Each structure stands twice: as structure tokens, then as C-alpha cells.
Amino acid sequence: MNPKAWEHWLSGWLQRHPVQEPPEQLRWNYTRQVMDRIHPQPVWVFRPRPVFGLAGALAAVLAVVVVVQTPSRAARQALELWNEVESLEEVPSNPEEPASDKEVQDLEKELRQMDESDLPIS
Amino acid sequence: MPTDPEIIEAVLQGDADRYGELVSRYQLAAWKLAYSFVGDWEEAKDLSQNGFVKAYRHLARFRGGSRFSTWLYRIVVNECKDFLRRRRRQPELVSFGKSGEDPKDLPAIDPPDPRAGPRETAHQRELAGKLSQAIGMLPMKQKSVFILHHLHGLSLEEVSQVMGCRLGTAKTHLFRAGENLRLRMEPYLNREA
């Protein structure tokens, strides 16, 4: 078949056999689907659902526990530290119970020895 | 009936819903064009819809140098080419020989005239299958030009705009496509004669 005859046959054949039409069941929502993709639903808007309620409640409880626990633990630690410091300071400077005679004598003796050796006395 | 440029102007002014008029106007053409490339109506629907969505998103870039439909077809053809490239990278579940012979690559042409007798119908069906297969095996540029011009009736000027090439280049692709098809179809046509 020469090219001219082929061209003639092809164009005639294609005119008699056009491209198929899409099936009806796929056609009805074509435009709506495109428009939905152009204007998508605002999925970011918060919608209350049971799962969110439960998760939200758990998250809130955890947050409260953390918020309450954190300063409380720190305060308790600070208080313990303060008490420890106070207790350390109290022993040499302000004894609440009077020392016994023997203890007083020992302390005076020790101080004297320190004076003699020229060590600074704090 | 408003013209395409009037609708586009309205959409660009903020009336986005009017884009639906363009979708309704060209959905069938875009869908059938995609189907010619991929041979599956649902895939073709997705691809042509992607084309409409992309055209909408870039509508401000459309300068009106060509018709809206030409611009849209260009986007749809590119979607189809990307799809075919992606599909070729995926492993084939069923092999029908060479990748070019996969029936999914074939452009679909209507079954023959139902008024014909059973023998003629069978012959026409076979011929349609062979021609579809031959078109499907063409190199992509030749196939695109052939489909746009012969199956969808675009002028060569429009084909060159869709393909983004010069008119002469489109003519060359079309000529080569025709020659390739003639060589492939000759045995069956001689038998018909």
C-alpha cells in the first residue's frame, strides 16, 4: 500500500471508529470532584470526637500533674537543702543544748593548742 | 454563553466557582485524551482531573496566547507521560511480551460497527486491536502527535502548541508515525484487500 492510499485508508477508518466514550457511571461527579479539590474542606478545623475527648482529657491530666509536680519537687528539694544548711550552721554557732564540762574543757584545750601553733582561728 | 477568556477573567477576579464551567466544557475531551494514552477510564479520569486542578492553580500564568483547551491538553498530555513513565518503573504483574505491547499502553479505539455481520465484526475488531497495538508501540512523541491529530482532531498548529514544538517538527513526527504504522499494519491490510 502506498503512503497516499494508506493515509486515505487510515483517516477513513478512524472517522468510522472514533475514540470510545467514558462509562456513564464514572461521569456524574467529574466536575464536583475537581471543584472539591480546588476548594478542599477545612480539615484543620477542630471537630470534637470521642477519641479526641479521651485523649484531650488524658493530656490535660498529665499536664496538670507535670505542672503541679515540678515546682513541688523543686520546692521540696529547696526546703531539704535549706534545712540541711541550717542544721550545719546551727551546730557550731548556736548549740541549743549546753555542752558538758568535759566537752567544754576539751574545746578550750584544743583552742589553746591552735593559738600556740599560730593557726588562724575562724 | 460566556467565552473561555470571560470565565477565566471572572475566576481570576475571585469567582472561583465559575471554573466549574470550564471543567464541564472540556472534561470529556480531556478525559478521552488521557484515555487514549493510558487505556483505563478511571486512571484517565484521575489524570485529566489532575490537569484541571493544575490548570486552575496556574491560571494566572495563562496569557491567552493560545486557546484554554490547547493549554489544558498540554497539561493533560504531560500528566499522561509522567504516569506512563512511573508505570514502566513499576514491576509488571502480568507480562505480555515487550513492554510496548502491554495492552494498557494502547490507545483505545471503538469496537466496529454493530450493523456489520459476525465475520466482518471479528475482522474489524482484530484490525482495531492491531492498530491500537501499533499506535501504542510508537515512540512517545510520534504517538502524542498521532493521538492529538488523528484521534482528537486537533489541527497541526494546535498539536505543535500542545507539544511545545515547531509546526515543522510536529509534521515530521506525524509523518514518521504514519510510516511506522503503515509498515506495521501492511500485512493485515493486504489480507483485507
Side-chain angles (χ1 to χ4, degrees):
Chain A
M1 185 180 270
N2 66 54
K4 273 276 177 214
W6 156 251
E7 185 78 20
H8 180 72
W9 178 89
L10 182 67
S11 58
W13 198 91
L14 290 172
Q15 276 176 8
R16 282 180 276 120
H17 301 84
V19 178
Q20 293 176 24
E21 296 293 318
E24 284 292 333
Q25 67 269 23
L26 292 177
R27 282 196 207 185
W28 65 277
N29 58 353
Y30 188 103
T31 303
R32 174 59 25 218
Q33 286 175 338
V34 173
M35 297 311 284
D36 283 350
R37 286 176 63 186
I38 288 169
H39 302 297
Q41 296 294 317
V43 290
W44 51 269
V45 173
F46 178 74
R47 290 175 185 159
R49 291 180 193 171
V51 66
F52 287 151
L54 183 62
L58 281 172
V61 168
L62 278 173
V64 168
V65 167
V66 168
V67 166
V68 170
Q69 279 285 32
T70 305
S72 163
R73 190 181 301 137
R76 202 163 48 241
Q77 284 174 345
L79 186 63
E80 283 169 5
L81 185 62
W82 177 251
N83 288 339
E84 194 176 0
V85 168
E86 271 194 328
S87 66
L88 286 172
E89 285 176 352
E90 275 173 7
V91 174
S93 63
N94 187 22
E96 286 177 0
E97 291 178 10
S100 65
D101 289 347
K102 178 79 169 66
E103 283 174 338
V104 171
Q105 285 171 3
D106 287 346
L107 185 59
E108 284 176 349
K109 187 180 175 185
E110 192 178 340
L111 286 171
R112 231 180 288 119
Q113 284 171 348
M114 288 175 79
D115 281 343
E116 287 167 2
S117 59
D118 286 327
L119 286 172
I121 301 169
S122 59
Chain B
M1 184 189 250
T3 63
D4 291 357
E6 285 168 350
I7 296 172
I8 290 167
E9 186 59 31
V11 173
L12 291 175
Q13 294 296 322
D15 190 359
D17 287 339
R18 297 230 24 215
Y19 190 68
E21 294 175 43
L22 286 177
V23 178
S24 299
R25 194 171 286 180
Y26 294 110
Q27 67 176 56
L28 207 55
W31 194 356
K32 287 165 75 172
L33 177 61
Y35 180 67
S36 299
F37 280 89
V38 301
D40 179 287
W41 284 115
E42 292 205 27
E43 293 286 5
K45 187 178 180 183
D46 277 350
L47 293 166
S48 59
Q49 287 179 326
N50 288 348
F52 276 111
V53 172
K54 281 191 177 173
Y56 174 81
R57 288 185 182 147
H58 298 97
L59 201 58
R61 282 196 213 164
F62 178 65
R63 301 280 176 221
S66 64
R67 296 198 304 190
F68 172 76
S69 58
T70 307
W71 185 58
L72 175 70
Y73 295 158
R74 180 171 184 160
I75 296 170
V76 171
V77 168
N78 286 335
E79 285 289 308
C80 293
K81 286 179 182 175
D82 288 345
F83 172 81
L84 291 173
R85 268 196 288 268
R86 284 197 304 271
R87 193 165 70 183
R88 287 224 165 84
R89 281 197 212 114
Q90 294 170 0
E92 300 273 347
L93 293 176
V94 181
S95 177
F96 291 89
K98 287 186 282 185
S99 61
E101 290 172 346
D102 188 331
K104 279 186 171 294
D105 288 346
L106 309 179
I109 296 168
D110 236 357
D113 187 352
R115 290 168 299 181
R119 193 171 170 163
E120 175 63 14
T121 301
H123 177 64
Q124 290 293 325
R125 199 180 289 276
E126 186 195 359
L127 211 56
K130 295 293 178 193
L131 187 59
S132 292
Q133 201 171 38
I135 296 168
M137 290 171 77
L138 289 172
M140 183 53 84
K141 284 180 181 171
Q142 292 180 24
K143 178 160 58 180
S144 303
V145 170
F146 185 89
I147 286 173
L148 288 163
H149 182 66
H150 282 302
L151 302 188
H152 294 276
L154 270 68
S155 70
L156 276 169
E157 183 75 38
E158 286 174 308
V159 170
S160 67
Q161 287 175 350
V162 171
M163 297 291 293
C165 65
R166 287 193 289 190
L167 180 62
T169 310
K171 281 181 181 172
T172 304
H173 286 314
L174 190 65
F175 173 76
R176 287 184 181 155
E179 282 301 287
N180 275 334
L181 290 179
R182 185 170 68 87
L183 293 172
R184 288 184 195 279
M185 292 300 292
E186 211 153 29
Y188 311 104
L189 295 174
N190 287 339
R191 202 170 64 190
E192 186 184 47

